[in-house]
Every structure is written in C-alpha cells, then in structure tokens.
Amino acid sequence: MAKDNKKTDSTIALNKRARHEYHIDERYEAGIALQGWEVKSLRAGRISIVEAYAIVRNGEIFLFGASIPPLLSASTHVVAEDKRTRKLLLNRAEIDKLVGAVERKGYTLVPTAMYWKGNRVKVELGLAKGKQDHDKRAAEKDRDFAREKQQAMRSKNRFA
C-alpha cells in the first residue's frame, strides 16, 4: 500500500520588520528562480529577507538584497554569491499590475515571507507604502492597548 507523502506548507523566513515599516495593501505569491546550492541552504534555514526588496527591470521583477549564505558543503565548482539578484516568477498580468503600481503610484514591493509550497519555494510579496513615524507610534499604542485589554479580560474571567 502506497503512502500519501504530502508535505505541509512550512515557513522558511518571515519579514516582521516589513509589517512595522510599511502599510501592506495587497499580497502576491511569486515563485523564485534558485540555484541548487541555494535550495540546500534554504532547507537548512539559512536566509535573511529583512533588507530585501523587489525591483522592476525590463518588465520583469527581481528580488534584490536577500541573503542566502552557502553551506560549507556546497559544490566547489560553483562560485556562490549570497546576495545575488534573483528573478521572481509571476504571471504577465500580475507583473503589469505591479509595475503600474510601483512606477505610477509610488508603491514598494517588499517580501513579507518565504515558504515551501509542495517542493517549490514561494515568496509572498507585499505591495506597500512606507509608514511615517507617527503611524508607527499609533500602531504601537493600539497593540499595547489590545494587549492590556486582553490581560484585563483574562484576569476578570479567571474569578468568574
């Protein structure tokens, strides 16, 4: 009897700083073109997308600034460059929509997460606008208020 080998979607990396620095309006799922040694490094969990962003070049979208350091056991015949520019794979309609938003409306493309979908690596891109300092402070106040409210409700319900 054959086993059903379904892999669950698992997160490789999250960019929590993107949620703090930007208002994320829409999210898109994109594939990413990787080399073999990069996939091995991702399986080991070696990636940083905190400083990464996506850029538009010649009608294509590329991930810039993501760091995937090579493993020590990486292939010796390949020169491993950890911060190389990687191509993102999207439909033409999605690319056109994103290019219009970035070039005309002043949006930024920020990777918010990287995860496995089956045996493929996917990048979640957020179409985002930068937050001002007062927006960041207001979001922090709202978060603190929600936490205090939750603690008060828990303590009140404990004795009921």
Side-chain angles (χ1 to χ4, degrees):
M1 189 168 168
K3 285 188 177 180
D4 193 18
N5 289 332
K6 287 187 179 179
K7 291 184 179 179
T8 59
D9 295 347
S10 60
T11 304
I12 300 169
L14 285 176
N15 189 355
K16 293 180 181 178
R17 190 167 139 198
R19 293 186 188 113
H20 178 71
E21 300 277 332
Y22 299 97
H23 290 289
I24 299 174
D25 292 342
E26 294 182 39
R27 296 175 192 272
Y28 293 91
E29 181 181 78
I32 184 168
L34 296 172
Q35 295 177 350
W37 66 268
E38 292 173 325
V39 176
K40 288 181 181 180
S41 289
L42 290 178
R43 289 199 188 279
R46 297 173 53 111
I47 183 167
S48 174
I49 60 171
V50 174
E51 297 176 359
Y53 58 94
I55 55 175
V56 177
R57 249 193 243 156
N58 300 329
E60 296 179 333
I61 298 179
F62 294 90
L63 185 65
F64 185 77
S67 175
I68 303 176
L71 295 173
L72 295 175
S73 61
S75 181
T76 56
H77 66 278
V78 176
V79 177
E81 185 181 343
D82 67 333
K83 285 203 171 196
R84 75 177 185 88
T85 303
R86 296 164 181 91
K87 185 175 180 179
L88 294 177
L89 309 171
L90 290 155
N91 293 332
R92 175 53 53 192
E94 290 176 329
I95 291 174
D96 292 341
K97 186 175 180 181
L98 291 174
V99 167
V102 168
E103 291 181 352
R104 291 185 209 103
K105 298 179 184 173
Y107 279 93
T108 304
L109 291 173
V110 181
T112 56
M114 187 176 280
Y115 54 91
W116 294 102
K117 189 168 186 179
N119 61 351
R120 300 181 193 259
V121 178
K122 300 291 182 175
V123 177
E124 183 181 80
L125 279 180
L127 190 61
K129 282 226 182 219
K131 281 186 184 178
Q132 302 290 328
D133 285 338
H134 59 84
D135 293 333
K136 293 177 191 176
R137 285 192 293 269
E140 191 173 332
K141 282 183 185 178
D142 292 342
R143 200 169 40 246
D144 290 343
F145 176 70
R147 187 180 312 121
E148 289 171 7
K149 186 170 68 171
Q150 199 66 339
Q151 287 173 351
M153 292 299 288
R154 258 191 250 123
S155 66
K156 190 167 192 150
N157 289 339
R158 186 176 11 190
F159 300 114

